Each structure stands twice: as structure tokens, then as C-alpha cells.
């Protein structure tokens, strides 16, 4: 699978800086297994017929869901990373189900789905509340959200000698939440149904408030 490798668009890092899905590093493999298992479990609980992944990056999960028979599509603000996602889909014999779209510009109807997935996006947003309000408009039934769990995320970065001058903060992360603070934020917009904490993330399944 092709990844962005740390390219920038409008001064913002887009996609994945390295292939975390295919990494042979045992620590990375263990962490990604925890993330993948948690996400797969929450998707199963939502049992969607359609999925829209906001901030899909290079399209890994959209491809996985389509191969499982779920009608999934993805969007991302970056035209460059959407180009990579389309290339990955083509190389895997899948249809192009990707489009360039900012989370702030989603529209009810054309961008709606049974399940909205938005993983590793909120920490990059200048206005996360507006992002959640946008997701409210298009979530047919459920939403899955995940963010780095602080301060564990930064502590682990520093433990491996990364971003020391930034106290372990990953470039592009401008929002920081503990498990409790993120649940409190999301609860203003969605009814939280299930919470998982695969190290070092907070991930939750929510239902659109009636």
C-alpha cells in the first residue's frame, strides 16, 4: 500500500509519515493490532450497511470495509492524499470511492452514511466543536471517533526519543485530550455507547442525539 510519507499540503502534514499498517516493528505491530481490533469491534456493533470515513488518508480502512462487503467511501481535505487513496484502490481492484472534502464542508444527504468514522482527525482541527457539529449532520445512526490519549501519547513519543523539543507533541497535533476530557466533549454532541482505550488512543462509538 502506498502512503504519503510525510508530504505537506498548505503547510499541514497529510496522511501517514510511515506505513504503520505494514510495519514489522513488534511494538508498532502490537499497538496497531490493539487499534485495529478496537475499531473492528465497534464497526461490528454498529452493523452498518454504509460507512463514510472522514479523514480517510490513503484509504486503508475504506478498502478493508469494501472487501468485507460494506459500501464504504472516504474523504479527506488533502487532494494529494486522495490521489494516493485512489491509486491504492485501483491497485487493489476496487472502485474509486474517494473525494476531496473538508470535515467542515460535509452536507447532509450526499455525505451521510449509517456509520461515520473519524479517526485521528480531531486533534488536527482548529475548531473541533465545529467538526463535531458537522458530523452530527451526516451521522445516520452511529459515529466512531478516536484521538491520541494524552499525556500518554506524548510520554511514549519522548520515551522513543521523538519530538523532545516539543515535549513529545507530534507535529500537527494542536488539540490534546485525556480519556475523560474527550468523552466530555463528544457527549455534548453524541450519546456515547461504548469506549475503548487501545494504547495510546481513546476510541468511542456514539449515536446521534435525537
Amino acid at each position: 500500500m502506498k502512503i504519503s510519507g510525510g508530504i505537506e499540503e498548505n503547510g499541514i502534514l497529510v496522511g501517514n509519515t510511515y506505513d504503520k499498517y505494514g510495519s514489522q516493528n513488534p511494538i508498532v505491530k502490537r499497538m496497531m493490532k490493539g487499534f485495529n481490533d478496537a475499531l473492528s469491534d465497534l464497526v461490528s456493533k454498529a452493523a452498518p450497511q454504509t460507512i463514510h470515513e472522514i479523514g480517510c488518508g490513503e484509504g486503508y480502512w475504506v478498502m478493508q470495509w469494501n472487501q468485507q462487503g460494506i459500501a464504504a467511501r472516504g474523504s479527506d481535505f488533502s487532494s494529494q492524499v486522495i490521489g494516493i487513496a485512489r491509486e491504492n484502490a485501483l491497485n487493489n481492484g476496487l472502485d474509486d470511492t474517494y473525494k476531496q472534502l473538508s470535515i467542515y464542508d460535509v452536507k447532509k444527504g450526499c455525505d451521510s452514511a449509517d456509520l461515520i468514522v473519524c479517526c485521528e482527525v480531531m486533534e488536527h482541527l482548529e475548531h473541533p466543536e465545529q467538526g463535531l457539529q458537522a458530523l452530527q449532520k451526516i451521522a445516520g445512526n452511529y459515529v466512531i471517533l478516536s484521538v491520541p490519549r494524552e499525556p500518554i501519547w506524548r510520554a511514549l513519543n519522548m520515551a522513543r526519543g521523538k519530538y523532545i523539543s516539543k515535549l513529545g507533541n507530534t507535529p500537527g497535533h494542536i488539540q490534546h485530550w485525556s480519556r475523560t476530557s474527550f468523552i466530555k466533549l463528544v457527549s455534548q454532541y453524541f450519546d456515547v455507547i461504548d469506549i475503548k482505550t487501545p494504547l495510546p488512543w481513546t476510541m468511542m462509538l456514539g449515536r446521534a442525539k435525537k
Side-chain angles (χ1 to χ4, degrees):
M1 176 175 144
K2 183 177 180 181
I3 61 166
S4 66
I7 60 175
E8 292 188 6
E9 188 162 328
N10 298 325
I12 301 172
L13 284 171
V14 299
N16 291 291
T17 57
Y18 70 99
D19 186 5
K20 61 187 181 184
Y21 302 108
S23 174
Q24 295 305 305
N25 181 295
I27 297 175
V28 174
K29 287 177 69 174
R30 182 173 180 179
M31 290 171 61
M32 289 310 302
K33 184 179 186 304
F35 183 96
N36 295 351
D37 288 350
L39 179 56
S40 296
D41 184 60
L42 293 183
V43 170
S44 294
K45 288 185 177 181
Q49 293 186 341
T50 58
I51 298 176
H52 183 178
E53 183 181 11
I54 307 293
C56 65
E58 299 92 348
Y60 174 84
W61 277 106
V62 172
M63 290 191 294
Q64 295 291 314
W65 293 320
N66 276 296
Q67 289 169 343
Q68 294 167 19
I70 303 172
R73 63 192 190 277
S75 60
D76 199 289
F77 88 95
S78 167
S79 61
Q80 295 181 81
V81 83
I82 285 296
I84 295 173
R86 288 170 173 160
E87 183 179 343
N88 285 331
L90 179 63
N91 290 339
N92 283 273
L94 298 171
D95 293 335
D96 173 11
T97 56
Y98 302 96
K99 70 175 180 178
Q100 181 186 10
L101 179 70
S102 166
I103 187 174
Y104 301 121
D105 297 329
V106 297
K107 292 180 174 58
K108 185 175 182 179
C110 61
D111 297 316
S112 299
D114 296 336
L115 171 63
I116 303 298
V117 176
C118 187
C119 292
E120 309 307 286
V121 172
M122 305 302 296
E123 65 271 20
H124 298 279
L125 300 182
E126 291 185 9
H127 308 290
E129 293 85 359
Q130 291 180 23
L132 289 167
Q133 289 169 359
L135 298 183
Q136 272 187 315
K137 294 188 299 184
I138 61 171
N141 291 310
Y142 297 101
V143 63
I144 294 175
L145 301 162
S146 77
V147 294
R149 190 160 78 253
E150 299 289 8
I152 295 174
W153 181 274
R154 282 178 289 181
L156 290 175
N157 274 339
M158 294 188 70
R160 64 192 183 98
K162 295 292 186 179
Y163 318 126
I164 299 298
S165 64
K166 302 294 184 181
L167 298 179
N169 187 56
T170 300
H173 288 195
I174 59 176
Q175 306 292 342
H176 307 89
W177 292 284
S178 66
R179 178 183 181 275
T180 300
S181 62
F182 191 60
I183 294 170
K184 182 178 180 181
L185 172 66
V186 175
S187 295
Q188 298 176 47
Y189 303 92
F190 296 93
D191 294 322
V192 177
I193 297 170
D194 197 359
I195 301 164
K196 294 187 177 296
T197 54
L199 189 70
W201 291 278
T202 300
M203 184 183 297
M204 65 181 68
L205 174 67
R207 189 194 299 271
K209 287 183 178 291
K210 301 300 181 182

